Amino acid sequence: MSDMDKYINNLVCEFKRLSYEDVEDCSDTEKLLYLYAYYHYFNADSSKITDIIQGSIYQPDASDRITGIYLDQDSDNGDVDAIIAVYSDDNSIDFPAILKMFKDAESAVCSAQEQKSSVRKELGSIVREDEYRISPTRPLKIRLITNYNPKTVGNKRAITNAIQTMKPEHDYVTYHISFGLDIEYEIMEIENPKEYVDEAVIKLDAPNNYMHFGAEESLIVNISAFSLKNLYEQYGYRGLFAQNLRYYVKNAKIDGNIVESIQEHPENFWYFNNGVILICDDYLIEENCILVRNFSIINGGQTTKLVGETEFAQDFYIQCKIIKNKYESVDDRLEFIANVAEATNTQKPIKDKDLIANRIEQRLLKKQLADAGIYCQIKRGEKVNKKLYPAPWQNTTNEELGQFLLSFVYQKPGTARGSKASICGNKERYYLLFSKKYNSGFLGDLLKIKAFYKLWANHIKKTDDGTDPYKVGLVNNGMFFMTAIIGVVCKIYYRQNVISQITSSVMSEQKLEVVAQHDIDHPIFRPDLDKKEQFFTLFEYCYTKFYRPGYEFLKTFKEKYNNYSNFTKINNNYTTYVFKQIEFEYHHGIPAADLDLLRSILYEASDEDILRNEALLEKYVNVVYVDAASESNIPENVSEEIKEALISYRTKTYKLNRIKAYEVFKNVSCDRIAKFAPTSLEDLKALRCLDEAQITLYGQDIIEIVKQVLNK
């Protein structure tokens, strides 16, 4: 049995363990698709099996040959990937036929988006959705995956080059191929990852032609393109890019220029290209060779991959900066690598997620979760070590964790589902989510919601008998709505005065502000809660009690509304319909029967836990609304003058300290202070519009500004 077949069999066992037994009856072609998607798009996250299966549109006799459609979240533009899976029983491949497959697949996808009737239903239903709408800003990749392996490196390059030279019909379409060993190497990066290349020899342009820098004697040299190609072929999936900000991401225009330079003007490549940067623990130079130990390329992944995969006959030389790590302690060494990687990755566009990967709060979060037995991907292309983190809830990304925090803690499930990119891309939202310290058990339990909810959704789909016409649609699209519901239930369960604060508030924004706070500093679930049936009970309770009634409430106004996907992408739908059901059901507190159920599921908080929860409310204040309904004795013109003075102070402060304006205080905080004009720190704290750090840093200045205006 080949390694590929072993990986497929292992994946089938994993699917069956998680109640996806049907995969055993799938064809080898579809199993190959699932294997590739599991590792390439979902980083071996078992909780995403439903997403993997939903991406399959396999039909053995389909003329377009497309096996699956997935979004590539690691690409610069969230590319749409159309996968053609070809499983070979005899390790052979019909080369002319696969070239035609690319053209057929491109034509089919473009026809589907034009809503032509000739396109099969399975393809059309996916690619006509907004998030799969291809364009110059959301490119289409046609990728052929196969278990076939060319007999020689030359054969592989010949096939790859033939595919690269084919011109797609549209500028925003590119063709790609992944052979069996490519897929296996990617799997190895997850099952047994390496942080660097242990040792390799690189050829220089001339004996002893190098320049030293620094006490540690870092180098600038010119390395052979053949040597770089050899490095890529041997270690491209085994640590060569492990320390980069993110792994290679294709850019057709830039890549084409580099390939042209390699093949047509190799003698000028040194002039046209910025070269590569690698960081190492040590090196040894002998004549025109350099032995490098414990190294990784931290800048130049694009150049390295293209040199590695492009056929060329004439050797040429590439500028290479070899940085020798000058620190002894592990933490200092890692920070140095991170800082160099961030500072040097400016040639090619970097996404917001890439830039935040090296921030101290992200590195601390990654370490905190690792200590709790959870792997958190903080940069694109980073791979989980599946042996260390086997359970579905032990694998996440910072973006995904941000989605659950935004839903559970801050009650914005629509944004969490519909605007994932804003988790790291919106500076204020990033600050809200990641500037705080969270309990490790709490974070782990959020991820258990993810893992068990996916199982529950699959269970609902399998057992649906049609008696509830909304359930499958609501459940398939409602993970973040469910997370937000559980968040409110927990907050009311642990803080008995919350429901009275909600019911006594007038505006919906006021009600939401009561619960949209970071106020749980302990686990969510009982430590012995580990069976899926226990989580299913909680989900059924929340669905029956709040989620479905909220949707039915909407249907009384919009009888023909049946768009479950759009319903769950809008925060106002959650606040207006679902949150109101929680307020209605718990108006006089949690009913006794419900309390018994919740006690069997939720963590039993101690008095010390509750005190820590209360401390969080003082330390981290999330301001949601302006208290327009409350009375104030401050004349409107005076409030406006205070507001102008506060804004002027904020501008000077954030520019002087080189921080963001909202870190001093938000606009809604400014409005609240201007309206009520507090003249003491106690009054300012009572407005609950600044957190502990803001009070400490800026509170007294704010009080003095208010007093100056009032004393005019």
Side-chain angles (χ1 to χ4, degrees):
M1 180 184 293
S2 69
D3 287 340
M4 178 67 75
D5 289 331
K6 289 177 184 176
Y7 288 132
I8 289 175
N9 289 342
N10 289 341
L11 187 67
V12 170
C13 292
E14 179 72 359
F15 274 47
K16 290 171 65 178
R17 185 180 69 82
L18 295 171
S19 302
Y20 295 86
E21 298 90 351
D22 295 347
V23 72
E24 192 169 27
D25 299 326
C26 293
S27 69
D28 289 333
T29 298
E30 197 163 12
K31 289 175 184 175
L32 177 63
L33 171 74
Y34 291 157
L35 180 74
Y36 183 78
Y38 181 68
Y39 285 99
H40 185 80
Y41 299 109
F42 299 101
N43 203 25
D45 185 345
S46 300
S47 69
K48 304 293 177 59
I49 290 178
T50 300
D51 302 298
I52 294 169
I53 293 173
Q54 288 177 344
S56 171
I57 56 169
Y58 174 67
Q59 285 184 345
D61 56 349
S63 59
D64 55 59
R65 297 304 301 269
I66 297 174
T67 318
I69 303 283
Y70 298 95
L71 295 179
D72 185 359
Q73 301 292 354
D74 279 349
S75 63
D76 280 338
N77 298 297
D79 301 358
V80 177
D81 282 15
I83 305 297
I84 304 169
V86 176
Y87 186 90
S88 171
D89 291 314
D90 57 359
N91 197 36
S92 64
I93 196 166
D94 185 346
F95 181 58
I98 69 168
L99 294 179
K100 183 177 183 299
M101 290 178 195
F102 287 101
K103 295 290 186 181
D104 291 344
E106 178 184 0
S107 175
V109 173
C110 294
S111 295
Q113 297 217 319
E114 295 168 6
Q115 300 191 16
K116 293 184 177 179
S117 58
S118 58
V119 176
R120 60 183 171 118
K121 178 182 176 183
E122 294 80 5
L123 175 61
S125 63
I126 292 182
V127 301
R128 288 168 188 162
E129 294 182 17
D130 289 342
E131 58 186 337
Y132 291 87
R133 177 67 56 181
I134 59 172
S135 69
T137 58
R138 187 184 287 276
L140 170 68
K141 294 202 298 281
I142 309 292
R143 181 178 294 277
L144 188 142
I145 63 171
T146 177
N147 64 321
Y148 165 75
N149 287 306
K151 291 182 172 58
T152 66
V153 173
N155 289 343
K156 178 179 179 180
R157 287 178 187 157
I159 296 173
T160 303
N161 290 340
I163 292 170
Q164 289 177 346
T165 56
M166 280 203 312
K167 185 173 176 59
E169 295 298 320
H170 303 81
D171 292 338
Y172 48 83
V173 178
T174 53
Y175 299 155
H176 309 258
I177 187 167
S178 293
F179 297 104
L181 283 176
D182 298 325
I183 299 171
E184 289 179 32
Y185 286 148
E186 191 163 358
I187 294 170
M188 288 169 62
E189 272 292 278
I190 289 176
E191 297 293 351
N192 186 26
K194 286 184 66 67
E195 293 299 317
Y196 46 77
V197 178
D198 296 325
E199 188 175 273
V201 175
I202 305 172
K203 183 182 175 184
L204 305 181
D205 62 336
N208 301 314
N209 184 27
Y210 55 84
M211 183 175 71
H212 278 139
F213 181 81
E216 78 287 351
E217 297 192 327
S218 293
L219 300 172
I220 292 181
V221 297
N222 301 314
I223 64 173
S224 157
F226 283 153
S227 284
L228 188 62
K229 177 187 281 288
N230 186 54
L231 280 181
Y232 176 77
E233 290 174 349
Q234 290 190 64
Y235 308 110
Y237 291 92
R238 303 296 295 147
L240 188 62
F241 304 114
Q243 304 296 340
N244 209 330
L245 274 182
R246 46 87 169 113
Y247 287 61
Y248 166 82
V249 181
K250 187 177 178 70
N251 183 305
K253 183 177 180 180
I254 296 174
D255 293 355
N257 291 337
I258 294 176
V259 170
E260 181 185 9
S261 181
I262 292 171
Q263 295 181 327
E264 305 296 331
H265 309 286
E267 71 282 359
N268 291 327
F269 193 88
W270 191 93
Y271 301 99
F272 295 164
N273 188 271
N274 288 343
V276 299
I277 302 174
L278 63 84
I279 196 161
C280 68
D281 283 352
D282 202 1
Y283 63 81
L284 176 65
I285 298 177
E286 290 187 358
E287 295 296 324
N288 66 333
C289 292
I290 179 169
L291 173 69
V292 192
R293 295 191 176 100
N294 296 347
F295 72 93
S296 174
I297 290 176
I298 59 172
N299 182 268
Q302 174 191 26
T303 296
T304 303
K305 182 176 175 70
L306 292 174
V307 167
E309 295 189 351
T310 301
E311 187 71 28
F312 57 94
Q314 178 183 336
D315 198 5
F316 55 93
Y317 294 93
I318 302 160
Q319 185 185 106
C320 178
K321 183 189 289 184
I322 299 176
I323 300 174
K324 185 177 176 181
N325 203 317
K326 56 185 179 178
Y327 293 97
E328 294 297 329
S329 77
V330 174
D331 288 346
D332 287 343
R333 292 165 74 85
L334 290 175
E335 185 168 2
F336 179 65
I337 292 171
N339 290 337
V340 174
E342 180 171 359
T344 56
N345 274 277
T346 55
Q347 177 184 351
K348 190 171 179 180
I350 301 292
K351 293 181 78 173
D352 293 312
K353 181 177 178 180
D354 302 320
L355 288 176
I356 62 102
N358 285 316
R359 290 182 183 173
I360 185 64
E361 64 270 13
Q362 291 296 318
R363 298 203 302 273
L364 290 175
L365 175 65
K366 186 177 182 71
K367 185 178 185 303
Q368 176 190 355
L369 290 173
D371 291 342
I374 299 167
Y375 169 80
C376 181
Q377 182 201 60
I378 62 174
K379 67 179 179 182
R380 288 188 288 166
E382 200 174 38
K383 302 300 183 183
V384 63
N385 186 335
K386 197 63 177 175
K387 290 182 180 178
L388 295 179
Y389 308 101
W393 61 270
Q394 291 179 285
N395 185 358
T396 190
T397 68
N398 51 1
E399 276 187 331
E400 181 179 70
L401 189 60
Q403 288 176 289
F404 281 91
L405 288 169
L406 196 59
S407 302
F408 188 103
V409 179
Y410 303 108
Q411 296 292 292
K412 290 187 177 293
T415 302
R417 183 168 189 268
S419 301
K420 181 180 177 182
S422 71
I423 300 296
C424 296
N426 180 291
K427 291 182 173 64
E428 187 169 350
R429 187 159 296 138
Y430 176 87
Y431 181 79
L432 172 72
L433 294 169
F434 295 112
S435 66
K436 302 172 176 62
K437 176 75 173 177
Y438 300 93
N439 180 278
S440 296
F442 171 77
L443 295 177
D445 282 348
L446 285 183
L447 298 176
K448 287 179 181 176
I449 293 176
K450 173 196 77 166
F452 287 101
Y453 187 91
K454 295 281 189 177
L455 292 178
W456 181 62
N458 183 53
H459 171 74
I460 294 302
K461 184 177 179 180
K462 284 186 173 182
T463 59
D464 178 50
D465 60 3
T467 56
D468 183 342
Y470 312 131
K471 194 167 189 176
V472 171
L474 288 174
V475 170
N476 279 344
N477 294 278
M479 182 167 64
F480 294 115
F481 265 40
M482 180 65 73
T483 302
I485 293 168
I486 295 172
V488 177
V489 170
C490 288
K491 289 163 187 273
I492 295 174
Y493 181 80
Y494 291 121
R495 290 170 50 210
Q496 301 300 315
N497 63 334
V498 166
I499 191 61
S500 60
Q501 290 176 323
I502 292 173
T503 55
S504 62
S505 298
V506 177
M507 301 169 63
S508 60
E509 291 84 358
Q510 289 176 291
K511 297 176 186 293
L512 188 65
E513 187 164 297
V514 174
V515 291
Q517 304 291 338
H518 175 22
D519 56 0
I520 296 181
D521 195 26
H522 51 72
I524 304 169
F525 304 121
R526 296 177 67 91
D528 58 350
L529 197 76
D530 57 2
K531 293 182 173 60
K532 64 181 182 181
E533 290 77 16
Q534 295 169 300
F535 285 91
F536 289 7
T537 299
L538 176 63
F539 299 147
E540 286 288 352
Y541 168 77
C542 292
Y543 173 81
T544 305
K545 199 93 172 179
F546 314 117
Y547 189 15
R548 178 194 159 104
Y551 185 75
E552 290 178 322
F553 184 32
L554 165 69
K555 294 282 283 184
T556 61
F557 300 100
K558 302 177 181 179
E559 184 178 350
K560 296 183 179 180
Y561 189 94
N562 287 307
N563 194 323
Y564 306 112
S565 180
N566 285 348
F567 176 70
T568 54
K569 289 180 181 177
I570 301 172
N571 291 322
N572 193 51
N573 285 340
Y574 169 76
T575 307
T576 304
Y577 304 110
V578 179
F579 185 80
K580 282 187 180 296
Q581 292 299 316
I582 302 174
E583 180 186 2
F584 174 76
E585 291 289 341
Y586 286 175
H587 188 79
H588 299 294
I590 302 177
D594 293 14
L595 273 175
D596 288 340
L597 171 67
L598 295 177
R599 286 194 188 105
S600 69
I601 294 172
L602 300 183
Y603 173 81
E604 186 177 349
S606 65
D607 292 340
E608 183 182 351
D609 292 326
I610 299 301
L611 287 174
R612 290 204 313 275
N613 291 349
E614 293 174 358
L616 286 179
L617 284 171
E618 297 300 321
K619 187 172 185 177
Y620 306 118
V621 175
N622 180 35
V623 189
V624 176
Y625 78 106
V626 179
D627 194 355
S630 301
E631 295 296 327
S632 171
N633 296 322
I634 306 301
E636 187 173 339
N637 64 316
V638 176
S639 289
E640 283 300 316
E641 192 172 347
I642 292 173
K643 183 175 179 179
E644 289 179 10
L646 288 173
I647 290 175
S648 177
Y649 166 77
R650 181 175 68 177
T651 301
K652 292 178 183 177
T653 302
Y654 82 74
K655 287 184 176 180
L656 178 65
N657 295 300
R658 296 182 179 182
I659 58 176
K660 304 301 179 185
Y662 56 78
E663 294 181 60
V664 183
F665 50 74
K666 295 181 179 181
N667 290 337
V668 289
S669 303
C670 182
D671 291 342
R672 197 177 296 186
I673 295 167
K675 180 175 181 177
F676 293 99
T679 55
S680 69
L681 285 177
E682 289 70 25
D683 292 341
L684 182 58
K685 289 178 181 177
L687 291 179
R688 287 196 49 75
C689 60
L690 300 178
D691 64 28
E692 182 180 82
Q694 291 170 319
I695 292 283
T696 301
L697 292 171
Y698 318 117
Q700 194 58 52
D701 291 346
I702 291 170
I703 295 302
E704 294 302 322
I705 290 169
V706 172
K707 286 181 177 180
Q708 287 175 13
V709 175
L710 293 179
N711 291 334
K712 280 186 179 181

